[in-house]
């Protein structure tokens, strides 16, 4: 995602949770073959841009560390159990 690659991903809940609708999904080897033969990066630039923005806004260290810190502080204060 951060390398601005077009993502072709196995169709499972985790991948869909991260990539949302910004990837091309496959479920079996035949689908992979079709995708590789027919898909062009140039036709999917919006997926690439959306994923790069997700890295910047959702999956960056400052945000993740801040969320962990907030969780720890809530646990210590008894707000979250």
């Amino acid at each position: 995602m951060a390398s601005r690659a077009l993502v072709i991903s196995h169709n499972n809940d985790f991948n869909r949770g991260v990539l949302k609708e910004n990837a091309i999904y496959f479920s079996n080897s035949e689908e992979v073959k079709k995708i590789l033969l027919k898909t062009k990066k140039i036709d999917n630039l919006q997926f690439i841009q959306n994923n790069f923005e997700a890295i910047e806004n959702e999956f960056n260290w400052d945000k993740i560390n801040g969320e962990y810190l907030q969780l720890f502080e809530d646990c210590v204060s008894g707000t979250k159990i």
Side-chain angles (χ1 to χ4, degrees):
M1 291 169 59
S3 67
R4 296 187 185 261
L6 175 60
V7 178
I8 300 170
S9 179
H10 182 263
N11 188 8
N12 62 58
D13 290 342
F14 176 82
N15 290 344
R16 282 201 174 269
V18 171
L19 297 163
K20 300 181 181 26
E21 296 303 319
N22 297 305
I24 299 169
Y25 293 97
F26 65 88
S27 295
N28 58 55
S29 59
E30 189 59 35
E31 289 177 3
V32 173
K33 179 180 175 182
K34 287 178 186 176
I35 291 167
L36 291 175
L37 291 173
K38 294 181 180 182
T39 304
K40 295 184 176 154
K41 183 177 180 177
I42 193 76
D43 296 331
N44 295 282
L45 295 178
Q46 192 61 55
F47 285 175
I48 294 165
Q49 183 61 34
N50 293 346
N51 285 330
F52 190 78
E53 289 173 9
I55 288 290
E56 290 181 315
N57 300 318
E58 296 178 46
F59 302 114
N60 67 67
W61 284 116
D62 288 336
K63 181 175 188 287
I64 293 168
N65 288 336
E67 290 174 357
Y68 272 118
L69 179 60
Q70 186 63 56
L71 175 64
F72 296 149
E73 289 173 348
D74 290 347
C75 289
V76 169
S77 71
T79 307
K80 300 254 181 182
I81 297 176

